[in-house]
Amino acid sequence: MSFDGQGSSQPTPPLFPQLSHNPPSSPAPASGTEGTRGDEEGLATPRPFDRPTSPFMAQNGSKCAVYQKVGEEGICKMHKFNLWETATRYYLVGGDLMDRRFRILKIDRTSEPGDLSIAEDDIVYTQKEMSQLLNAIDDGNRSTGGLKFKCSTWGLLGFIRFTGAYYMLVITKRSQVAMIGGHYIYQVDGTDLIPLTTPASHRFWPDLKHAEEARFLGILSNLDLSRSFYFSYSYDITRTLQHNISRGRQALSEGCLPNSEHDYNAMFVWNHYLLQPAVSALKNTYDWCFPIVHGFVDQAVLTVYGRTVYITIIARRSRFFAGARFLKRGANDLGYVANDVETEQIVSEMLTTSFHAPGNNLYANPNYTSYVQHRGSIPLYWTQDNTGVTPKPPIELHLVDPFYVAAALHLDNLFERYGAPIYVLNLIKQRERTPRESKLLAEYTNAINYLNQFLPKGKKIIYEAWDMSRASHRGNSSDQSVIARLEVIAENVVTTTGFFRNGDERSNKWTMQNGVARTNCIDCLDRTNAAQFVIGKRALGHQLHALGVISDTSIEYDTDAVNLFTHMFHDHGDTIAVQYGGSHLVNTMETYRKINQWTSHSRDMVESFKRYYNNSFLDGQRQEAYNLFLGNYIFSQNQPMLWDLATDYYLHHADPRTYSQKARRSYSSWFTPSFLEPRILPPITPLSPPKPISYIDDYYLEYYRPLAVSSFLKIFSFKMNSTLKYMPFRATREGRYDLSPFRVRDGTEQALPPRQSSKKAVPPTVESPDDDSDGTSSVVSHVAAKRSSIQRWLAPHLGERTPSYRSTVREVPFRTVDLAALARAETVKSLDLGVILEQAVSSALNPNISRREVEAYEEYASFPLNIPLVVSADTPLNTMPEFEAYVKSGVETVKSSIARQKSSEDFSDFLGVSDDPLTVTEADRGRFKYEVYGNWLNGGIL
């Protein structure tokens, strides 16, 4: 409202678009009707297969197949499984999303120890035909107990054995974490290890074998598979988006079907060892067993005036040379480095869901972009001995290789994965009083210089060393600002390597990422994550610009878009730090941006202690679990047990006895020339002969789920994190809030003009929307001190979980305050933090007690503690008047109530029930039961 000189009010047109808030109603799920399935999208555990209890035999085995063989009518992905058991076998029944096609897998439980007997049926059955088959199995095993239901699962992770029989590892719980191209990515929330033995065979094991087996199971249980392990039924999460789309186009150009051969990247398949028995026994292994990656996956929505942009972060941890912080440092002799993590950020506009463009343009959707980064330990032979009590053990270069073979193998592997050039950003300390990290600086620099002299021009490694820790401690001067320096480096990195954008030659120009930014500090955790965030933020601007969302390639800090991205990268860094270091990030972006330093310092100290404790006492157990699960240690007779090994060095390095048998690599031609060639996106090739997209991609069934009863509250795309969750709804509804996620939020743009008071005698008040996301009321004025928006974004996520749908766009409560109170509040807010801390310490050391508090304490201390218990009708002589009046009031109430109960007519008043018993009229005022109820309300007795 605006006010003129006459005091009349005229409406002011909204400055910004208004945001409506109409939460959709969720209809009650319909009961099972024909052609309609129950919704399982939000379920953590699968439903069991519905098999009739009355057995009946199949009429003809040759007629019960929907298709003769798997794959003849397109892909047949199974998304849920049911495990049945007899006395001698397990039967795993897999079904598709529509519950129309089923397959079966037979697993023998009576095999000899060390043998795995699996039989796969290629025939695809209907639900009725699968029920007939299971009932036939039940009939054939009546003498031994028949067919019993074991459990429902979401898939197999593989098979593993220790000293005897195999175990089958199944997924029992899952949750959706991302959606890419209509394909869901799930997090493993629960697993179960099922022994492939019969109770009789297990009973005759020797006691020693039982003890060893139990200890191996205990070691494996130290690896928590319900944290940060991910899988997908139809999308290859072990590869980057650029590789997946290029592979699909390449297959079509060669006349093959995409995904006909599963080409998973073995470096990131953490259950690779468990899959090997299934690979050797099954024809269609990956229809039953699913690769899992270890790392981090997160997805959020960026809303830009009705345009929906998905930001997805996928971090993949290498299974090679994997382990805990101080136990795995540097590189092994195969060129694999510790803490090797590939981070990919996918930015896509969801105009269409799939990877395909309209028409017959397969894998040509121009709305998908991605950018990939890499982090890893310094590729030299160095270690740290943490057997002492120091939190920072000394660094030892125990082997100096003049030809830098390990670094050459590692960098050649990076050329194979990402192309050239490689931008190496080294953030370790360069000047120290006691040399620790600086020991590696000169050796690493010499390695890059030595290897660079053999690379062709234009493909050389770009090396930049910068002491980020020293720059952070020297302050925020113009020449030493950490963020400003990282911004310059990030722009150089992104323009050098480029990023991937899908498209075609006619309408949209595609781009490919050639090369990668390799960032490292000493641990590849705190400093590395901050540098990768700035590089990712810069790449995000280029990706949004390529999609036509913004006109420039840069995004300012303290905007909704960058705050959302900061929160995602903060969770990404915390997860990677817990996996490798045992604690969350010690130094976050708040530390390097000099934001909220008092709270961040205390948090940093706590995380440092947690990291020291885990490294000193728990890393050994985690390392044993890694070695057992990844297959680095395999039990064999007459060999030492895992817990008896003095070191696991030979589990992660090549056998020195085979050195003489291997051909030595050239010291000068250390790279593979074909890896240096630029990546080119294959041309678009229509499917010949023409077939529907569902023949090669079942994204429509997986994402849209036809014939399923769904609700908005269970749809992942609706409930994922979004920039809309942090907007003050009142301001947006009145059109006084800029909805752009690229507007810098300094805390003052949300204030509203004052409104005219309805009462003239009341002094003017100021109404302001609450911009805090925790739901508490606050006042924001024109003269309020600027508050960093990054604190408002991180506060709700650090303290509690993201609210449910009702908080997606929340109407924030208002309150009115007096101007004098507002002035006092603003005065307190403007005080320096050091002054406030000094006042708090002074008040704690010199407490002041008011007169009112003294009187209240004296009244409490003089209250009698020996009040007698009333055991008779006689009134004690030394009672207090208040207590005596209270007792008499209760007695009088009881007497008056008894006096009224003269006849049975009074009781009939309680028994009579009118047509509308919930309505009390004026005629009921004198009725006895309402009078008694009124006495009870006044403190009496019924």
Side-chain angles (χ1 to χ4, degrees), residues 525-527 530 584-592 603-604:
L525 296 179
D526 304 339
R527 286 167 282 178
H584 295 99
L585 292 173
V586 174
N587 297 312
T588 63
M589 281 303 299
E590 288 188 347
T591 306
Y592 294 111
R603 175 196 174 278
D604 294 350

Side-chain angles (χ1 to χ4, degrees), residues 502-544:
N502 196 19
D504 54 59
E505 297 82 1
R506 298 184 299 272
S507 57
N508 300 94
K509 179 61 178 178
W510 52 265
T511 59
M512 298 287 283
Q513 179 176 347
N514 287 281
V516 72
R518 188 198 188 279
T519 310
N520 72 267
C521 53
I522 197 64
D523 295 320
C524 301
L525 296 179
D526 304 339
R527 286 167 282 178
T528 298
N529 196 75
Q532 284 197 339
F533 161 75
V534 178
I535 297 175
K537 168 185 167 294
R538 205 71 183 183
L540 176 64
H542 284 267
Q543 291 173 283
L544 293 174

